[in-house]
Amino acid sequence: MATIPDKEPYIQDITPDWYQGKVAKLSMLRLDVVHPDVSGNKWYKLKYNLQYCLGHKLNGVLTFGGAYSNHLAATAAAAHAYKLKSIAIVKGTYAAEQLTPTLQFCKAHGMELIFVAHETYKQKNDADYLHELSLKYPDMHIVPEGGANEEGRSGAGEICSYISGEYNYVALSVGTGTTLTGIVNALPDDRKILGFAPMKRGAYLQDELKTYIHSGKQDSYRIYDNWHFGGFGKHNSELLDFMNSFYTAQHIPLDVVYTSKMMFGIRELIHRSEWGSDSKILCIHTGGLQGNASVKDRLVY
Ligand SMILES: *Cc1c(COP(=O)(O)O)cnc(C)c1O
């Protein structure tokens, strides 16, 4: 039954040329390796949602996402592996012949795609809209965009079992902040969690996430939003060059939407001596490599 994950995550020390002596240790937790199709943080956020379906004898998962969403791709593949149905409410309309590689993948894994206008999509967290959906699809477990629910947060907390005690900083990319929240809540207080937002004005998450962060942990995390490269899903040649040189030096493929922007930010902050020279930083590779399909021709991997 447990076909996912098919590989154990592991920690890999990294020594890019820009790290030299500025911090004591820089490592990467390779969650990207856990499964080719359900990679990175996505498996952890889905795990208890799938269990919920099985436990409540529901037919599958209904969730939300954009045309490049790693969450949709992972949900489609995971549901397929567990012989569950999956339905996606997709932001925007795409004709069958214009489907993005992500949506093609979803479809190939049996996901039903329901396209809605941006106006409708905006209602994704509204009680009325969700009620309507639950009446229409009573046999489905409705999971918010990005797996941002209690099941998602508690599954994400399990990532902490791979974070060894020697690190005083844990860095990761944030979208909804579900993974960060789960990790902050599950790690001891003496760790500082650094969240890197890949979109403009992502610092709003600092306050928004407080709702779900356990009391006493409100100062355990910090969100940086300086490295968005023009906005969510946007990139330039500087970022692509960085991804290529990082791969050449470290043999780690970063994704263009999330982890590349985090590592770019970390390089910048290390340059500026943001952290003391005795700092040990663990960067989490949250996966997302399927999203590189659109820039494949410009990457060396
Ligand atoms: C989805 C995703 C994130 C964001 O996860 P949240 O839990 O929504 O914050 C980060 N990195 C990658 C590669 C992702 O695919």
Side-chain angles (χ1 to χ4, degrees), residues 65-234:
Y68 299 91
S69 164
N70 294 329
H71 168 67
L72 288 189
T75 304
H80 189 73
Y82 282 81
K83 300 195 166 43
L84 290 164
K85 257 174 70 173
S86 64
I87 301 179
I89 306 287
V90 183
K91 176 163 56 174
T93 337
Y94 297 82
E97 66 279 9
Q98 305 176 311
L99 291 183
T100 59
T102 303
L103 293 177
Q104 286 173 25
F105 175 91
C106 291
K107 220 175 144 182
H109 286 77
M111 184 174 248
E112 182 185 335
L113 305 175
I114 300 174
F115 299 100
V116 300
H118 286 233
E119 285 310 303
T120 309
Y121 191 82
K122 274 190 201 147
Q123 302 173 37
K124 62 184 191 278
N125 295 321
D126 293 357
D128 287 350
Y129 182 60
L130 292 172
H131 183 64
E132 211 178 286
L133 286 173
S134 70
L135 293 178
K136 197 161 171 197
Y137 304 100
D139 58 338
M140 302 295 279
H141 174 41
I142 299 181
V143 174
E145 180 186 67
N149 59 10
E150 196 44 50
E151 286 84 5
R153 286 185 288 276
S154 52
E158 296 187 356
I159 293 170
C160 296
S161 68
Y162 305 108
I163 300 175
S164 67
E166 66 175 309
Y167 297 97
N168 39 3
Y169 291 100
V170 175
L172 76 158
S173 186
V174 295
T176 60
T178 307
T179 308
L180 179 135
T181 304
I183 289 176
V184 169
N185 287 340
L187 269 186
D189 291 358
D190 57 345
R191 315 297 182 77
K192 199 93 183 154
I193 321 300
L194 315 167
F196 288 81
M199 68 293 223
K200 280 187 184 165
R201 293 178 290 277
Y204 82 97
L205 285 167
Q206 185 80 40
D207 273 341
E208 188 164 292
L209 296 178
K210 281 197 175 134
T211 321
Y212 302 108
I213 299 276
H214 294 166
S215 61
K217 301 234 173 188
Q218 310 279 347
D219 299 323
S220 302
Y221 66 102
R222 165 152 183 205
I223 308 286
Y224 294 92
D225 68 355
N226 316 44
W227 297 282
H228 55 69
F229 290 83
F232 188 72
K234 303 267 168 59

